[in-house]
Amino acid sequence: MTRIVAGSVGGRSIAVPAKGTRPTSDRVREAIFSRLEHLDVLDGARVLDLYAGSGALGLEAASRGAVSVILVDSARLAADVARRNVAALGLAGVRVTTDTAERFAAGLAGRSAASAGPAGTAASAGTAASAGSAGAGGAAGLDLVFLDPPYDLGEDELAAVLTHLAVPGVLADGAVVVVERSTRTPEPAWPDGLAPFARKDYGETAVYYAEPADPEPADPELADTAPPGGTEPSGDTPPSDSVGA
């Protein structure tokens, strides 16, 4: 049985899909949320739960004070179970989307990149539609993102999702990204813009915590050669690394 550990609906049971998911145990979930409460990122948080399954992580966040939660899963069966859990618990501000994690995250990244560029571009309209008209975190960005993919998910696929999340504007300042993996898999390949700050193992499960970070310049010594006023030095200058899809 899976239950909400604490908060406004603490102790309530939730349904889990009959197959195809690996719910986070109550013990691991309680440990994750103990750390998140210590980090003070839950109250009023805008939350994204990718590979959501039953929605246990996102629903736990909503129970503990998150104001906006989006549960994303590509399996229709899992998404239907998550919707029933949302309805049964009566938690406001929670919605469920049937989509792949990579496509949804790419939509957020594209919308953030478009909003940073010229207003009214075609990219802005297209990416906003792909991420959902209500958005995921609004203009201020997401405060908390959970990723609990299947253990057999390829490292390249996970790295692609993390790269989308690292695009400036997707995450708010002070946001936390929580990734669950098997202890037998490599540590996630963190992109520029995301920096891990903690890892904790619980049996077979490894939980990683990361936060937004300024990307490293492609060549710090070259960056120092630019004269005042923004004029580039003569000669060929290597292009800077970009973050995004």
Side-chain angles (χ1 to χ4, degrees):
M1 180 180 71
T2 298
R3 63 183 180 88
I4 302 299
V5 177
S8 62
V9 292
R12 296 276 299 275
S13 298
I14 60 174
V16 298
K19 58 181 180 178
T21 62
R22 176 187 42 77
T24 302
S25 71
D26 291 353
R27 170 177 169 265
V28 174
R29 195 153 25 92
E30 187 169 9
I32 290 172
F33 278 89
S34 177
R35 180 180 285 269
L36 293 175
E37 287 187 335
H38 177 72
L39 295 171
D40 195 24
V41 296
L42 288 171
D43 191 33
R46 299 169 294 265
V47 179
L48 176 62
D49 185 357
L50 297 173
Y51 313 96
S54 66
L57 289 168
L59 294 172
E60 186 79 41
S63 180
R64 296 180 186 236
V67 296
S68 172
V69 178
I70 300 178
L71 310 176
V72 179
D73 202 289
S74 61
R76 188 167 300 278
L77 173 62
D80 287 344
V81 170
R83 289 188 182 94
R84 291 199 296 271
N85 286 332
V86 172
L89 295 175
L91 290 168
V94 183
R95 68 182 179 92
V96 181
T97 296
T98 306
D99 204 349
T100 67
E102 183 171 356
R103 185 163 53 226
F104 191 89
L108 297 180
R111 185 177 58 184
S112 293
S115 66
T121 62
S124 177
T127 54
S130 68
S133 59
L142 295 160
D143 301 298
L144 178 60
V145 181
F146 296 107
L147 298 94
D148 184 14
Y151 283 169
D152 61 358
L153 182 79
E155 298 307 311
D156 289 345
E157 290 89 343
L158 177 58
V161 176
L162 292 171
T163 298
H164 295 317
L165 295 176
V167 169
V170 174
L171 299 175
D173 292 340
V176 176
V177 175
V178 182
V179 182
E180 287 190 50
R181 294 297 276 158
S182 168
T183 54
R184 293 177 292 180
T185 60
E187 179 173 350
W190 303 103
D192 287 348
L194 270 183
F197 64 87
R199 168 181 171 162
K200 182 68 176 178
D201 293 350
Y202 307 91
E204 168 71 5
T205 301
V207 181
Y208 299 89
Y209 300 84
E211 60 189 352
D214 292 333
E216 293 293 331
D219 189 337
E221 293 184 358
L222 182 62
D224 290 341
T225 63
T231 303
E232 294 185 357
S234 60
D236 294 332
T237 301
S240 62
D241 290 343
S242 62
V243 178

